[in-house]
Amino acid sequence: MLSHAPLVEVAGRSVVLGAHTYVVKNGGRMPGVVSLRETSETQSKPDYFRGQCWGAVGLLVGTLSACFCLPLSLQIPQGFRHLGEEDANDPALKLGTRVVQMAWSFAQMNDRPVWLVLDAFFATAPVFRLARSVWSVALQQPLVQVITRAKKNYVAYFPARGPILLMCSDLALDAETILTLYCRRTRIETLFDTLKNTLGAFRFHFWSRYLPRHSRRPTANRHLKAPQAQHLPTVAACWQAMETFVLCASIATGLLQLFSLQYHEGLWKQQVLYLRTRSRELPSENTVRQILAPLLARQLLRSPPKAFWWRIREAVNGDEDDEGQT
C-alpha cells in the first residue's frame, strides 16, 4: 500500500503521527478492559470509566495542504495482566514509550527516517531517550525525531511566550516547519473518528469465559486478575482477535484514502448524495464509502454465476451441494 500512496516528506523524512484513543467497553470478561481517566477537554465521557486504550501510529500521505493519516498500527498498550504479564509500575511510561516503539519499528522495517508528531502527553524524557536509541547511519542522526507540545506545568525560560510551546528533538529544524507539522497532528484525530463512526472498528464483542470477571465500575487497575496458566493461550487468542478486527478496519480505511487520493476527480462526479459544501479538494473517507458502496453492490450482482463471489455466497448460505464444496 505504501508504494501507491504519495508520502508527505519534509527535510528527507516521512511524517508519522501518534496518539491514543479511548473506547468505552463494559464487558466483564473482555481482555484489555481497564479503568481509564478522561483528560480531554473536548470529550463528554465521565472522569473515570471502564474501557480500552488503543495506541496508534499513522503515516501522513498526500500533500501538506491536503492529506490523510494512513493507519499503520493500532495496539492495546494496557491490561497485560490479562495475558499473565505485569504492567509497568508507571502506566504513563508504558503508554508513552509503546507508541514510540511502534513508530521506530516502522522506520526500521522500511529503512525510512521519520518525524514523529505527538501531543503533550508524550512530552517526557523516556520518550525522547527511546527515540534517540536508534540511529540512521546515512543521516548520522536518530532514525526517529520527535515533535510534541510542552505540558502546561513545565518550567523554562523563553524570551517570548505564546499560547503553546512546541518541542523538537532536532534543534536544527526551523520553527515554522515544526509548527506546520504539529498542526497536521489533527489528522490522526480525524482518523479515530473515521474508525469509530464510519467503519465501526471498535464495535466488537470478543470475550473469554476463562478470564476472571472484573467489576464494571472503575476500580484501581492493580486489582486486575490474571487467568489461570492453562487458559492464557485462549485469552491471548481473544486479545489477538480484537487487534485483528481493528487491523481489518484500518486496511479498509487505507483503501478509502487511496481511492480519494488517486481518483478524487472521478469520485466527485459520482457524488449524488446531499453535501452542503466541500471542505477541501479530497473527498473524505465517509464520502468515498457512500460513493463506492452502491457501485460495488451493482458490480457484484452483475458478476457471472460462476464468479468467485457467488461461490462464497453459496457456501455461506449452504446452497452449494457436497460435490461443489471445496
Side-chain angles (χ1 to χ4, degrees):
M1 187 176 292
L2 294 180
S3 61
H4 299 282
L7 305 183
V8 175
E9 291 192 354
V10 177
R13 292 176 177 267
S14 301
V15 182
V16 173
L17 310 179
H20 295 120
T21 186
Y22 292 159
V23 181
V24 177
K25 293 290 184 181
N26 273 331
R29 297 182 185 274
M30 183 177 292
V33 174
V34 297
S35 296
L36 301 172
R37 179 174 180 268
E38 182 57 65
T39 58
S40 175
E41 299 177 353
T42 61
Q43 296 289 337
S44 59
K45 300 185 183 72
D47 292 339
Y48 292 91
F49 61 95
R50 299 287 291 178
Q52 291 177 332
C53 175
W54 286 81
V57 292
L59 187 65
L60 209 62
V61 295
T63 63
L64 279 176
S65 59
C67 55
F68 288 107
C69 180
L70 181 71
L72 295 175
S73 177
L74 284 94
Q75 299 177 4
I76 304 175
Q78 281 187 305
F80 291 104
R81 190 168 297 179
H82 292 158
L83 300 178
E85 305 174 10
E86 292 294 332
D87 287 323
N89 295 330
D90 185 0
L93 178 64
K94 192 72 173 180
L95 289 174
T97 56
R98 178 59 65 91
V99 171
V100 179
Q101 290 174 345
M102 294 161 62
W104 62 249
S105 295
F106 163 78
Q108 281 186 310
M109 291 177 58
N110 295 274
D111 192 22
R112 184 183 300 273
V114 300
W115 301 107
L116 177 58
V117 185
L118 306 167
D119 60 12
F121 177 85
F122 300 89
T124 59
V127 168
F128 281 89
R129 283 198 295 264
L130 181 60
R132 289 181 59 86
S133 62
V134 180
W135 277 63
S136 170
V137 178
L139 297 177
Q140 292 298 308
Q141 290 181 346
L143 196 61
V144 176
Q145 295 281 18
V146 176
I147 297 175
T148 183
R149 178 172 65 87
K151 297 183 179 181
K152 294 181 179 180
N153 59 352
Y154 282 7
V155 178
Y157 171 75
F158 296 93
R161 181 181 176 89
I164 63 173
L165 296 176
L166 300 181
M167 306 169 61
C168 181
S169 58
D170 186 358
L171 302 181
L173 191 64
D174 62 280
E176 183 178 355
T177 303
I178 295 175
L179 180 60
T180 301
L181 292 179
Y182 185 79
C183 289
R184 298 302 178 271
R185 199 196 67 82
T186 57
R187 300 313 307 176
I188 196 170
E189 304 296 341
T190 306
L191 171 64
F192 290 148
D193 178 74
T194 300
L195 290 173
K196 292 179 180 180
N197 301 317
T198 301
L199 294 176
F202 302 102
R203 297 175 187 172
F204 51 77
H205 299 280
F206 296 102
W207 59 278
S208 174
R209 63 176 179 174
Y210 298 115
L211 185 68
R213 182 181 295 275
H214 47 69
S215 173
R216 292 190 174 184
R217 294 184 177 182
T219 56
N221 290 329
R222 63 176 179 273
H223 300 313
L224 292 177
K225 298 179 181 179
Q228 298 181 8
Q230 63 269 27
H231 297 149
L232 286 176
T234 303
V235 176
C238 182
W239 186 297
Q240 182 64 35
M242 293 187 295
E243 293 190 340
T244 302
F245 187 91
V246 176
L247 173 63
C248 293
S250 300
I251 295 174
T253 303
L255 291 175
L256 293 176
Q257 293 173 352
L258 291 182
F259 272 111
S260 179
L261 290 169
Q262 300 289 345
Y263 309 106
H264 55 274
E265 295 181 358
L267 289 171
W268 282 126
K269 294 179 181 179
Q270 296 288 337
Q271 170 67 18
V272 295
L273 299 178
Y274 171 74
L275 187 64
R276 185 178 63 179
T277 181
R278 295 185 186 181
S279 58
R280 58 177 184 166
E281 179 184 0
L282 297 177
S284 66
E285 297 93 337
N286 188 32
T287 302
V288 176
R289 183 186 66 85
Q290 292 175 345
I291 296 173
L292 292 183
L295 296 177
L296 180 61
R298 288 196 295 267
Q299 182 66 25
L300 292 176
L301 291 176
R302 293 172 182 174
S303 58
K306 295 299 183 179
F308 188 66
W309 154 250
W310 289 103
R311 296 179 62 85
I312 296 177
R313 183 179 179 181
E314 292 172 355
V316 172
N317 296 333
D319 299 335
E320 191 173 16
D321 55 11
D322 295 338
E323 296 180 358
Q325 291 182 354
T326 56

